[in-house]
Amino acid sequence: MELPQMPELMGLSLLLGLLALMATAAVARGWLRAEERCGRPSHQKANGFQLDKSSGSKKQKQHQRIHKEKPQQHNFTHRLLAAALKSHSGNISCMDFSSNGKYLATCADDRTVRIWSTKDFLQREHRSMRANVELDHATLVRFSPDCRAFIIWLANGETLRVFKMTKREDGGYTFTATPEDFPKKHKASVINIGIADTGKFIMTASSDTTVLIWNLKGQVLSTINTNQMNNTYAAISPCSRFVASCGFTPDVKVWEVCFGKKGDFQEVVRAFELKGHSAAVHSFAFSNDSRRMASVSKDGTWKLWDTDVEYKKQQDPYLLRTGRFEEAGTMLCRLALSPDAQVLALASGSSIHLYNTRRGEKEECFEQVHGECITDLSFDITGRFLASCGDRAVRLFHNTPGRRAVVEEMQGLLKRASNESTRQRLQQQLTEAQEALKSLGALKK
């Protein structure tokens, strides 16, 4: 009997081995299917460990989302706190009161602009209307003089966008962005924007030395080089005649924006300067009639100026008062001047200090008002409230130094009044102001 050849035996052995492996694999697949039918999750091995450690059940992911910690809102209380406006989900960078006194606009990094009704300030609930900023967020906001529109500065787009406000039948507003934004012109970050109350021009100022004057159609009328090394602040005067800036140099420079009798733009000319500080100027502000200005400097002082001068005859502004504010020497400060120039508000870090400009005395101090550094500070057009922002809330304070200034003024006028009807009218105003202070616990004996 002949034995099979060696290669044929090897091929037969390999074939038998392959058949055995296939049978074993089939049995194993059957076991796995049986285990799945018995309820073992398909993403686990037989010993219970996950095949993919990065994957988890939907319930676990939902549980994690629910327990994700939200940033806590900063709590602040004070006897002079009138209201806290809390609807933004991001930090507020800027705010603006409308010229008719009816609204307050705020913008935040939550991609919204909110319009608040000022008549609700002393109510329990504070209503606001929301305008969404598509694919960007606003860092600055300003109302138009007719209160039918507002402009914003886009953080990422680095340009101006106009929103029109259309009143609805229910009393609310619809906000519509214009089809085209203003062209990009600034090469450095923009620090402030403004619209003249006459509606004739818009101002934008950047942190280099550039201030641009635009018409309402987005065309640049004039470019101002402030020659101040860098700009820290710039603004339009309430009378719409002037644009001013401050920065690294120890002065505030003021220009006049000139228009012809037919409303056509002519030129921007140098008007006057506020000279007297010995270091860089942080900020400045105008009174409501533009006849007073206040400034605060790194030299640790604030100053009040009489700017009702004939600058075309080379008359310089008069220094009326100098006060100390040591915090200005070590950190950036913000400033707000009440409409009647009787009260000066200074903000450093998260604290606010209120001064009587007639005597130069500090009358109120609010510590740790916000969870972040204060980003904006402003009096409402009546001077009754001071508003500040820095975190996700706007905080409104009763302007008690302003009410005390009214009391002092009424008392002086009452002493000089000779007419009985005038005396009665002044006495009534004096009594009302004293009662308002008494109700706030701020009446000085």
Side-chain angles (χ1 to χ4, degrees):
M1 182 175 168
E2 294 183 359
L3 293 172
Q5 295 180 358
M6 221 36 184
E8 293 176 352
L9 287 173
M10 290 178 64
L12 183 62
S13 299
L14 288 171
L15 180 62
L16 291 172
L18 181 61
L19 290 171
L21 286 172
M22 291 173 65
T24 303
V27 172
R29 281 197 298 270
W31 285 347
L32 287 172
R33 282 195 294 269
E35 286 177 349
E36 287 178 3
R37 283 194 298 269
C38 292
R40 175 169 291 177
S42 61
H43 66 275
Q44 288 186 345
K45 290 183 179 180
N47 62 3
F49 290 101
Q50 292 183 358
L51 292 173
D52 185 1
K53 292 182 181 180
S54 65
S55 65
S57 66
K58 289 183 179 180
K59 289 184 179 180
Q60 287 176 328
K61 289 181 179 179
Q62 289 173 354
H63 183 75
Q64 290 173 357
R65 282 196 295 267
I66 292 170
H67 285 81
K68 187 177 180 180
E69 291 185 3
K70 294 181 179 179
Q72 291 184 350
Q73 182 76 280
H74 177 71
N75 292 320
F76 173 82
T77 58
H78 195 279
R79 61 184 176 82
L80 296 182
L81 181 66
L85 311 181
K86 301 177 181 180
S87 285
H88 281 289
S89 59
N91 285 347
I92 302 167
S93 57
C94 184
M95 56 190 175
D96 187 46
F97 285 98
S98 62
S99 59
N100 61 10
K102 293 182 177 181
Y103 303 108
L104 171 68
T106 57
C107 64
D109 57 13
D110 58 6
R111 294 187 174 182
T112 68
V113 174
R114 290 193 175 269
I115 309 296
W116 309 80
S117 173
T118 57
K119 68 180 182 180
D120 293 338
F121 281 175
L122 298 180
Q123 304 299 320
R124 226 173 237 190
E125 295 184 2
H126 306 112
R127 296 176 296 170
S128 68
M129 297 171 285
R130 184 182 69 188
N132 295 321
V133 182
E134 298 295 334
L135 304 175
D136 211 326
H137 72 272
T139 57
L140 298 162
V141 61
R142 294 289 179 260
F143 274 110
S144 64
D146 61 4
C147 306
R148 295 180 181 177
F150 60 84
I151 61 171
I152 61 171
W153 184 261
L154 297 172
N156 300 321
E158 297 180 336
T159 187
L160 283 172
R161 178 172 293 173
V162 180
F163 280 81
K164 292 184 178 180
M165 301 168 59
T166 307
K167 198 161 189 176
R168 302 193 304 262
E169 292 182 359
D170 62 0
Y173 281 90
T174 299
F175 306 104
T176 308
T178 53
E180 293 185 6
D181 297 332
F182 276 38
K184 294 183 181 180
K185 294 293 183 180
H186 284 283
K187 297 179 181 179
S189 59
V190 166
I191 57 173
N192 202 16
I193 61 176
I195 307 179
D197 281 353
T198 56
K200 291 182 179 180
F201 69 93
I202 293 172
M203 178 220 70
T204 57
S206 51
S207 59
D208 46 14
T209 60
T210 305
V211 176
L212 297 181
I213 306 299
W214 309 71
N215 65 15
L216 301 187
K217 296 180 180 179
Q219 299 169 329
V220 175
L221 300 175
S222 181
T223 300
I224 302 171
N225 182 0
T226 64
N227 292 313
Q228 291 174 310
M229 300 289 286
N230 68 281
N231 298 331
T232 55
Y233 189 69
I236 302 174
S237 64
C239 68
S240 300
R241 286 180 62 192
F242 305 114
V243 167
S245 74
C246 64
F248 183 77
T249 56
D251 50 23
V252 177
K253 295 181 179 180
V254 183
W255 292 264
E256 183 179 4
V257 184
C258 303
F259 287 84
K261 293 182 179 179
K262 294 181 180 180
D264 54 315
F265 172 76
Q266 293 183 331
E267 61 180 342
V268 175
V269 297
R270 189 71 158 272
F272 55 86
E273 295 181 9
L274 305 182
K275 296 180 178 180
H277 288 293
S278 59
V281 178
H282 292 304
S283 188
F284 63 87
F286 290 91
S287 63
N288 197 45
D289 59 7
S290 304
R291 298 171 65 182
R292 297 287 185 271
M293 288 182 69
S295 58
V296 61
S297 167
K298 198 174 180 180
D299 63 12
T301 67
W302 60 263
K303 294 181 183 293
L304 182 70
W305 310 81
D306 179 355
T307 53
D308 187 20
V309 296
E310 295 185 55
Y311 64 89
K312 291 182 179 179
K313 296 181 179 180
Q314 309 302 314
Q315 189 177 6
D316 293 325
Y318 299 101
L319 178 62
L320 300 175
R321 176 75 61 185
T322 298
R324 295 296 303 173
F325 187 61
E326 300 296 341
E327 290 86 340
T330 57
M331 64 178 70
L332 182 66
C333 297
R334 297 188 179 275
L335 178 152
L337 188 62
S338 64
D340 59 4
Q342 297 279 7
V343 182
L344 177 69
L346 294 168
S348 61
S350 60
S351 300
I352 301 172
H353 309 261
L354 298 183
Y355 289 83
N356 178 304
T357 58
R358 186 177 296 178
R359 297 188 304 274
E361 298 174 358
K362 183 193 291 189
E363 293 201 5
E364 301 289 353
C365 180
F366 311 122
E367 300 284 350
Q368 297 180 343
V369 177
H370 296 277
E372 306 285 342
C373 288
I374 292 170
T375 54
D376 205 358
L377 194 66
S378 178
F379 286 93
D380 76 317
I381 65 167
T382 67
R384 291 177 60 202
F385 300 107
L386 172 69
S388 68
C389 61
D391 45 28
R392 290 178 290 155
V394 173
R395 290 188 165 83
L396 295 155
F397 295 90
H398 292 285
N399 179 16
T400 51
R403 292 183 183 273
R404 293 191 195 105
V406 170
V407 168
E408 291 178 12
E409 186 178 5
M410 291 298 130
Q411 288 173 337
L413 291 172
L414 192 60
K415 290 179 181 178
R416 296 191 297 271
S418 56
N419 187 290
E420 183 60 30
S421 61
T422 302
R423 290 180 59 85
Q424 289 179 357
R425 177 175 55 82
L426 291 172
Q427 184 61 56
Q428 183 180 355
Q429 293 176 347
L430 175 61
T431 303
E432 289 175 355
Q434 289 175 330
E435 288 296 326
L437 285 169
K438 187 177 180 180
S439 66
L440 296 170
L443 181 63
K444 290 186 177 181
K445 297 180 179 180

